[in-house]
Every structure is written in C-alpha cells, then in structure tokens.
Amino acid sequence: MDGGRSGGGAGTRADAKADRQTRVTVLVALVANLVIAVAKAVGGVLAGSPALLSEAAHSVADSLNEVFLLAALRRSRRPADSRHPFGYGKERFFWSLLAAVGIFVMGGCFSFFQGFEALRGGAEEKFSGYVAGLIVLGVALVAEGLSLLRALHQVRRQGGGLGGLRDPALRTVVAEDGTAVLGVTLALIGMALHMATGQVVWEASASLAIGVLLVYVAYRLGRDARDQLIGEAVDPELSGRIRAVLGAQPEIDSVEALYTMKMGLDSTLVAARVDLVPGLDSERVEEVAVRIKRSIARMFPDTDQVFLDVTDRRAGEAQKGPAATGERGGA
C-alpha cells in the first residue's frame, strides 16, 4: 500500500512557518527571563526580600524551560526512521513535561522555602534596597508583559482559543509569562506592604502565594504533557467525524472499533476495525482499503497514519482486541 500525507508540501511549509514563529516567541521569553532573573537576584540580595528572591528563582526556572522548549522545537521535526517509525512528534510533549518539572522544583519549591524562612527568621529592612527592588519588579512587570503580549499575538494568529494553544511549547510560554506577570504583581504588593507596615508576614505571604501559583501551573502543564505522552485520543467531535466518513463508505457494513492517538503536534494515528459487505474478493478489498485511507487523509490532513483491520467479528468482540493492525496509508 502507498503512504504519505495529502497536501504534504503545503502542510510542511505551514508547519515550518508556525515553528519559526514559536521559536521567535520562545527566544523573546528567554532573553527577557535571563535579564530579569539577574536583576531580581541582585535586587533581592540588596533588599533582603524573600518575595523578590522567589521571583528570581521563578525567572531562572522559566529561562531553563525556554531552553527545553527550543530543544523540543528542533527535535520534534526529525523525520521518522527505523527506530521511531512514527516520527519524533512526542518530543514536544516530553520537553514540555520537563519544563513543568522545572517550574515545580526551581520555582515553586524555592518560593515556599523563601516564604517559610522569612516567617521563621524575619527579614532585614533596607529602605534603599527595597526601593531598588520595587524598581526591578516594575521593570520586570513591563518586560514580562511585553513577552506575554508577543505570545498572545501568536496564539491569535494561529486561530485563537484552544486551537491556538495546541502547540505545547507555545502553551508553556503563555502559561509561564502569564504566571510571571501575576507573580511579579504579588511580589510588588507584598514588598510594598512590608515597607509600609514593617511586618515581614506580608512579603512572606506573597512568596508563599507565588509558590502555590507555580505549583498549580506546573501541575496543569505536567498533566497535559502526561496525557499526550501516554497516548491521548483526538477530541470526540473529530473522532465522530472520522467514524462517520468510514460508515458512509458503501463497502463498509459497520465500524466495529475506532481508535485514535495524537502522535505529535500535527500527526494523528487512526486505527479502525471494520466489517465489509459480503462478496468482495481480496483484490477488491485491497483497492477499497487504499481508497478509504486516501479519503481519510485528504479530509483530515493530520491523520498521516491510517490502519484498517478487516474483520467479521461483532462490536462486542472487537472491543476486546488490540487497537488494530494494518499498514500505513494515506494519499
């Protein structure tokens, strides 16, 4: 049987363009986070500010995560080979999972540590240092806000909503920048209240709140990456459309089972067990299978791996078997 993707040239060019845009967005976030991390660390040491040091750890974690995402963009586009016949699309999900772990360990845990340390031992007040810290946070808020606007602009260009956030690299950048803006705001409030009242509990509370925020974001990003790594099906609406296309074929008597799996950002595996109408000889069955695979690949360009298993078992028996076996198809 033949294989490949319908309209592959146009799809590849569009994918490459989207990757370049995402790469620019990640690089903008990386440069912003590196500069801000240094500024926050210096300001935090000068001010003795736990909230500012927590934000410095947050920016360091974000910087490391941007490196992970750049690796994901480069490695996930490698062509399929004998060791990985379905390609390397899931690299994006793996590196996004590492980014989530980085946010949790380097950002969230350090923020909790700073907050508890401030509550336990207090913090030395240095008015000039705190003024410098507030200035650093103000600059960081502007820089993080600009980076977030750049990421949201790309989301809007890629369709907006959940469709615009389907790339885990872009989704991670949006989550990181959005969290950074909120975290800097919390640090500003905590530091200002500490200066006004002399009570370190305000700044320690801000540090703990930043920790809670980072842990929550890390959990959400990690859960999404986990679902995709272990094999997540396409959404029910798309699955229903694929099943309808199969059921509409005159040679198919019934669709006994349909399985789908996201293999990458724009790669989907479809495995169907179908019962054909009686009276088809082996040569006709092969022609029908090729035509059906081409039809699915043409109507759903991301379904570049299509497997058909012809069976006469009923649906209840089919559901007990493995997903499907067959050969790679498409137009």
Side-chain angles (χ1 to χ4, degrees):
M1 298 283 184
D2 56 352
R5 177 191 298 244
S6 177
T12 300
R13 287 192 295 272
D15 296 339
K17 182 179 179 181
D19 272 5
R20 286 195 297 271
Q21 293 173 347
T22 302
R23 187 174 293 107
V24 171
T25 299
V26 174
L27 285 172
V28 169
L30 175 59
V31 172
N33 279 316
L34 285 174
V35 173
I36 293 168
V38 174
K40 287 176 180 176
V42 173
V45 171
L46 291 176
S49 165
L52 194 50
L53 289 173
S54 295
E55 273 301 297
H58 180 189
S59 293
V60 170
D62 285 352
S63 299
L64 181 61
N65 292 340
E66 260 84 64
V67 174
F68 288 158
L69 298 180
L70 288 173
L73 291 172
R74 181 179 62 85
R75 295 175 63 87
S76 65
R77 289 299 180 189
R78 288 181 296 169
D81 54 36
S82 59
R83 292 191 62 191
H84 298 88
F86 293 104
Y88 291 82
K90 288 193 175 185
E91 286 265 14
R92 294 204 183 208
F93 310 140
F94 170 73
W95 291 101
S96 295
L97 178 62
L98 289 188
V101 173
I103 293 174
F104 177 83
V105 175
M106 297 185 64
C109 293
F110 187 78
S111 295
F112 283 127
F113 171 77
Q114 285 294 319
F116 287 127
E117 279 295 299
L119 287 175
R120 187 173 64 86
E124 182 182 354
E125 297 182 49
K126 300 176 183 178
F127 182 79
S128 60
Y130 269 81
V131 171
L134 289 172
I135 293 174
V136 168
L137 286 175
V139 173
L141 185 61
V142 173
E144 299 283 15
L146 291 175
S147 180
L148 177 60
L149 288 175
R150 160 71 197 189
L152 292 176
H153 174 68
Q154 183 179 343
V155 171
R156 188 163 54 250
R157 290 182 63 180
Q158 294 184 187
L162 295 177
L165 288 172
R166 69 191 190 100
D167 185 343
L170 181 58
R171 185 166 62 246
T172 301
V173 172
V174 171
E176 286 180 349
D177 288 346
T179 305
V181 169
L182 185 54
V184 169
T185 302
L186 290 172
L188 277 168
I189 294 172
M191 186 178 293
L193 288 174
H194 185 187
M195 289 180 62
T197 64
Q199 299 295 317
V200 73
V201 66
W202 294 109
E203 200 165 348
S205 298
S207 185
L208 293 174
I210 292 169
V212 171
L213 177 65
L214 292 176
V215 168
Y216 174 74
V217 171
Y219 165 73
R220 291 297 300 270
L221 291 173
R223 186 184 66 179
D224 290 344
R226 178 209 63 187
D227 290 343
Q228 292 164 328
L229 278 174
I230 64 178
E232 186 178 35
V234 301
D235 63 85
E237 188 270 338
L238 177 56
S239 180
R241 288 167 58 199
I242 295 173
R243 180 180 285 272
V245 170
L246 289 170
Q249 304 301 315
E251 298 86 358
I252 292 182
D253 189 38
S254 63
V255 180
E256 303 296 340
L258 176 66
Y259 304 89
T260 62
M261 183 188 299
K262 298 176 184 177
M263 303 301 295
L265 183 60
D266 47 21
S267 176
T268 300
L269 181 147
V270 175
R273 183 172 284 118
V274 298
D275 184 14
L276 300 182
V277 297
L280 298 178
D281 59 32
S282 59
E283 184 174 344
R284 178 62 175 155
V285 168
E286 184 176 356
E287 293 174 356
V288 167
V290 171
R291 178 175 56 77
I292 292 174
K293 292 176 184 181
R294 286 178 172 173
S295 297
I296 293 175
R298 183 171 59 252
M299 297 183 68
F300 311 101
D302 286 351
T303 57
D304 56 344
Q305 305 284 347
V306 181
F307 296 79
L308 293 179
D309 181 29
V310 178
T311 180
D312 59 0
R313 290 181 297 173
R314 305 319 307 160
E317 298 175 279
Q319 292 289 353
K320 298 177 183 178
T325 56
E327 37 190 326
R328 180 174 177 172

